[in-house]
């Protein structure tokens, strides 16, 4: 029976793994993921305002996979060798263990089918001051992981405490001109507004939205049902949330977010508390051919996401069609490699691409969210 | 003129061209019964969309 290796045990990867086990009855299924816990990321939005705990949104993977008979390796994938190596045509990946018992150990894992479900690299380093290669910086908070969300709630409660005596400013949105996930920030700003009312400090808070959308309600999809702009603006104004849109945050420092607007003007927003989403990139997997030459460009797009059966040559916005999107999520060069969830490279954005007169791209990238990620995992196995 | 629950809106600002929810609209937004009806309706629409996409 074929060996299926799934890189990533998140929303997509875990869904693919469990359905593959159920439908294919595969005895040779391996899940490789660096985290020991599964996280329902969409619910981190409740953790970061204290409505849920980290334990409510995570569970340990090892016992689940043991019960299901799935080989679980707590490790990160470093590289893909789709053509094998000298002396063997069998494709394999190189993994490095992250578990305490085997930390740092490397191993080669052969596969017949490979599913890339590695999710996003949270590219905090893309905006100076937002973070670096190690992750989140010290000036802002994040809602992207359960641990980030716990930290965000601690900081938010401190601000609520200060707001009892001193007016505070909260800034929420996207931390780069090419971010996705505006929906997560949208949920967060309204959660904060609600919690502030509950805490009795709403009147002493200025809460402001900043994003790369060209209009409120874009959400990376160019709006929807033609009413999302009207709907979103109406909600924001009802809850007295101010907004700056068409913004590329280009630098963050203590208490300040610098940005450039679509019209080329520059601005700065001061804050006491800020949640600014990072842009996404691929996790940085490399690929090598049989001779060991780097073929990363063959498998991956420049943003680090895996190429699949999408139309990457659609060209200008006017030519974009829904049929540009992938159907089988299969890599066009190595047909036994697939990508699901956030790990695949979309053909192009959905929102109309825009740039400032300075040439700075300020466009939401295609939205990525939990439910479709899980559905893709299931659909891929089907 | 801005509704009392909104407060002052600066002319020519980004907020100046927005649709301001009035009393009944605001009520509907937090009315459990209406929101439950909308929740069911949205889920039906999503289900139809997903079923249509299955080949």
């Amino acid at each position: 029976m074929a060996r299926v290796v799934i890189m990533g045990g998140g929303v997509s990867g875990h869904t693919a793994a469990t359905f593959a086990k159920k439908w294919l009855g595969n005895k040779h299924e391996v899940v490789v993921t660096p985290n020991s816990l599964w996280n329902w990321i969409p619910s981190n939005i409740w953790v970061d305002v204290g409505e849920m705990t980290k334990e409510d949104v995570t569970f340990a993977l090892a016992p689940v996979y043991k019960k299901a008979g799935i080989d679980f390796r707590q490790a990160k994938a470093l590289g893909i060798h789709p053509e094998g190596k000298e002396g063997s045509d069998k494709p394999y990946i190189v993994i490095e263990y992250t578990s305490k018992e085997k930390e740092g150990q490397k191993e080669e894992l052969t596969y017949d089918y490979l599913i890339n479900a590695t999710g996003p690299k949270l590219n905090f380093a893309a905006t100076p001051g937002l973070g670096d290669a190690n992750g989140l910086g010290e000036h802002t908070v994040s809602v992207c992981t359960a641990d980030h969300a716990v930290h965000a709630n601690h900081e938010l409660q401190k601000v609520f405490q200060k707001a009892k005596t001193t007016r505070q400013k909260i800034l929420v949105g996207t931390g780069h001109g090419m971010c996705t996930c505006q929906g997560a920030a949208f949920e967060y700003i309204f959660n904060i507004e609600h919690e502030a009312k509950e805490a009795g400090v709403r009147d002493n808070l200025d809460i402001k939205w900043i994003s790369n959308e060209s209009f409120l309600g874009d959400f990376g999809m160019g709006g929807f049902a033609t009413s999302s702009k009207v709907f979103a603006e109406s909600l924001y104004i009802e809850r007295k949330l101010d907004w700056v849109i068409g913004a590329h945050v280009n630098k963050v420092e203590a208490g300040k977010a610098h940005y450039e607007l679509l019209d080329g003007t520059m601005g700065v927003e001061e804050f006491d508390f800020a949640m600014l989403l990072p842009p996404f990139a691929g996790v940085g997997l490399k690929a090598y051919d049989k001779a060991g030459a780097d073929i990363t460009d063959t498998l991956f797009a420049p943003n680090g996401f895996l190429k699949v059966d999408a139309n990457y040559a659609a060209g200008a916005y006017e030519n974009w069609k829904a049929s540009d999107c992938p159907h089988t999520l299969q890599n066009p060069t190595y047909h036994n490699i697939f990508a699901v969830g956030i790990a695949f490279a979309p053909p192009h954005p959905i929102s109309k691409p825009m740039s400032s007169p300075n040439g700075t791209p300020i466009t939401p990238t295609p939205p990525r969210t939990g439910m479709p990620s899980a559905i893709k995992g299931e659909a891929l196995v089907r | 003129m801005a509704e009392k629950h909104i407060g002052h809106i600066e002319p020519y600002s980004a907020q100046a061209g927005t649709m301001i929810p009035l009393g009944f609209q605001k009520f509907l937004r937090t009315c459990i019964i209406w929101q439950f009806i909308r929740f069911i309706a949205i889920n039906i629409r999503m289900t139809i969309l997903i079923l249509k996409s299955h080949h």
Side-chain angles (χ1 to χ4, degrees):
Chain A
M1 183 156 251
R3 182 187 241 186
V4 178
V5 172
I6 300 164
M7 300 185 293
V11 173
S12 281
H14 184 63
T15 306
T18 46
F19 276 106
K21 188 68 183 172
K22 182 179 173 183
W23 289 337
L24 307 178
N26 202 332
K27 291 193 173 60
H28 300 284
E29 194 174 318
V30 186
V31 170
V32 175
T33 191
N35 295 321
S36 62
L37 298 177
W38 186 90
N39 174 213
W40 175 240
I41 297 166
S43 279
N44 290 343
I45 282 303
W46 301 103
V47 176
D48 52 34
V49 288
E51 290 287 340
M52 291 176 87
T53 65
K54 179 181 169 182
E55 290 67 34
D56 290 330
V57 301
T58 57
F59 61 77
L61 285 167
V64 171
Y65 288 137
K66 188 177 177 188
K67 191 175 172 187
I70 295 173
D71 185 352
F72 169 55
R73 312 285 180 98
Q74 191 184 328
K76 59 184 176 186
L78 299 176
I80 304 174
H81 299 251
E83 298 175 3
K85 58 183 176 182
E86 193 88 24
S88 169
D89 289 336
K90 193 75 178 169
Y92 65 97
I93 61 171
V94 176
I95 64 173
E96 181 179 308
Y97 284 92
T98 55
S99 57
K100 279 193 191 127
E101 309 80 32
K102 290 184 170 185
E103 191 170 355
Q105 286 181 39
K106 291 187 182 161
E107 188 178 322
E108 290 177 2
L109 205 59
T110 58
Y111 65 84
D112 295 293
Y113 295 97
L114 181 68
I115 299 178
N116 180 2
T118 49
K121 170 178 152 187
L122 304 173
N123 199 7
F124 291 106
T127 300
L130 197 62
D132 55 29
N134 296 322
L136 179 65
E138 54 182 349
H139 305 309
T140 63
V141 302
S142 152
V143 300
C144 298
T145 70
D147 286 330
H148 284 175
V150 169
H151 167 254
N153 181 45
H154 282 148
E155 297 302 310
L156 183 66
Q157 298 309 320
K158 284 185 202 169
V159 167
F160 282 178
Q161 199 57 34
K162 285 183 197 166
K164 287 179 178 170
T165 51
T166 316
R167 194 163 191 88
Q168 299 286 294
K169 164 79 172 290
I170 292 180
L171 186 66
V172 174
T174 53
H176 190 276
M178 300 289 286
C179 279
T180 181
C181 260
Q182 291 79 11
F186 173 82
E187 286 186 71
Y188 191 44
I189 198 173
F190 283 94
N191 272 2
I192 287 177
E193 200 274 337
H194 174 77
E195 294 296 326
K197 275 196 204 137
E198 297 282 300
V201 296
R202 179 64 183 97
D203 288 341
N204 226 16
L205 285 174
D206 291 316
I207 307 178
K208 195 160 184 175
W209 170 265
I210 183 167
S211 85
N212 55 353
E213 301 162 291
S214 60
F215 60 87
L216 214 54
D218 177 292
F219 294 122
M221 295 184 290
F224 49 90
T226 72
S227 65
S228 59
K229 177 177 187 282
V230 171
F231 158 73
E233 287 181 354
S234 171
L235 267 178
Y236 277 67
I237 203 159
E238 181 205 327
R239 301 297 180 95
K240 297 181 189 170
L241 303 175
D242 204 356
W243 65 83
V244 174
I245 46 171
H248 163 60
V249 172
N250 52 27
K251 185 179 166 189
V252 177
E253 9 180 53
K256 287 185 188 170
H258 300 261
Y259 60 87
E260 178 184 354
L261 294 178
L262 276 168
D263 63 7
T265 56
M266 304 292 180
V268 59
E269 280 293 330
E270 295 187 348
F271 59 82
D272 297 293
F273 174 92
M275 193 295 286
L276 299 174
L277 291 165
F280 287 173
V283 294
L285 284 170
K286 296 287 200 186
Y288 305 92
D289 67 11
K290 201 174 172 69
D294 192 316
I295 54 167
T296 304
D297 290 348
T298 305
L299 253 77
F300 295 94
N303 53 22
F305 298 124
L306 192 97
K307 292 179 192 172
V308 291
D309 60 312
N311 179 12
Y312 297 107
Y317 172 74
E318 291 69 32
N319 301 332
W320 295 355
K321 294 190 280 289
S323 56
D324 294 336
C325 291
H327 294 83
T328 60
L329 294 167
Q330 198 172 14
N331 180 261
T333 311
Y334 300 100
H335 296 167
N336 58 348
I337 300 178
F338 299 80
V340 279
I342 294 177
F344 82 91
H348 44 65
I350 302 173
S351 296
K352 189 172 182 179
M354 298 196 184
S355 302
S356 73
N358 305 320
T360 306
I362 307 178
T363 302
T365 40
R368 318 288 211 137
T369 187
M371 183 187 162
S373 286
I375 288 176
K376 270 180 270 174
E378 185 210 344
L380 176 65
V381 175
R382 193 187 293 272
Chain B
M1 187 188 295
E3 290 297 310
K4 276 187 187 164
H5 64 273
I6 301 298
H8 174 73
I9 295 179
E10 202 60 41
Y12 302 101
S13 65
Q15 292 72 34
T18 61
M19 300 278 282
I20 298 175
L22 301 179
F24 184 59
Q25 184 65 32
K26 268 192 53 147
F27 164 72
L28 284 179
R29 286 180 179 182
T30 50
C31 171
I32 301 270
I33 297 168
W34 178 242
Q35 290 304 320
F36 183 71
I37 292 169
R38 291 302 306 147
F39 179 71
I40 300 295
I42 288 165
N43 275 277
I44 289 172
R45 285 172 66 181
M46 278 165 54
T47 305
I48 292 171
L49 185 73
I50 290 165
L51 287 174
K52 272 186 186 171
S53 70
H54 280 169
H55 300 295

